[in-house]
Amino acid sequence: MARPHTYETIVTWTGDRGTGTSGPRDYSPDVEIAADGPGVITGSSDPVFGGDPARWNPEQLLVASLSQCHMLWYLSLCARAGVVVTAYLDRATGSMATHADGGRFIEVVLRPQVTVTDSAMTDEAVRLHDEAHRNCYIAKSVAFPVRCEPVVSAAALMI
């Protein structure tokens, strides 16, 4: 039986320059994103759409969510399988196509670089990426492909 989970966020528009949306250039798309507990994330639209490049845009947040969900599943699976991960870095890329009537994501590619403590663990460490992908709630919820191109290397723990 499915158990419901609810995630609440607060998105507050902070881009009123004094005249609201009186004209297309009279306001900014700046926002603050918050939830109970974590700190505020400052957001905007993509700079291509008039946003602030120093703030997160929704497209970046979606790619980051996919990357983080995959990583958290992966680390959990590795811990249960006895694969000791000492480093994990993902340089994920999302591709979007825009058209006259809007746009949509066409793909996200995750590129995790993982370090494990023993070269005997590398095959299992690579395989567990497939399992993490199958389990990732967010990857299962999007309407575009999410690919994973992991690189796993081994380095002994320095104690």
Side-chain angles (χ1 to χ4, degrees):
M1 180 170 164
R3 294 182 318 195
H5 294 266
T6 303
Y7 302 93
E8 296 178 0
T9 61
I10 301 165
V11 176
T12 305
W13 175 52
T14 59
D16 182 357
R17 294 180 177 148
T19 60
T21 58
S22 58
R25 300 208 187 278
D26 294 337
Y27 68 95
S28 80
D30 293 351
V31 301
E32 290 182 351
I33 303 159
D36 286 341
V40 172
I41 297 171
T42 59
S44 192
S45 62
D46 185 315
V48 170
F49 305 117
D52 182 345
R55 292 171 170 250
W56 285 85
N57 64 57
E59 296 83 7
Q60 290 170 316
L61 290 168
L62 177 60
V63 174
S65 293
L66 285 160
S67 175
Q68 182 180 4
C69 184
H70 180 92
M71 179 198 69
L72 294 171
W73 269 106
Y74 179 77
L75 295 174
S76 174
L77 292 167
C78 285
R80 286 186 249 158
V83 173
V84 181
V85 175
T86 58
Y88 186 110
L89 178 133
D90 184 10
R91 297 185 190 280
T93 304
S95 298
M96 195 171 84
T98 56
H99 309 282
D101 60 347
R104 67 184 307 261
F105 271 85
I106 56 174
E107 175 182 62
V108 168
V109 180
L110 308 177
R111 294 182 181 88
Q113 299 172 335
V114 178
T115 304
V116 297
T117 58
D118 187 337
S119 60
M121 298 176 183
T122 56
D123 288 344
E124 180 69 356
V126 170
R127 185 195 71 73
L128 288 171
H129 280 286
D130 291 333
E131 191 172 341
H133 178 70
R134 286 192 304 275
N135 285 299
C136 175
Y137 306 133
I138 298 172
K140 291 192 290 188
S141 300
V142 297
F144 52 84
V146 178
R147 292 188 299 115
C148 186
E149 301 174 350
V151 175
V152 177
S153 59
L157 277 176
M158 298 295 183
I159 297 178

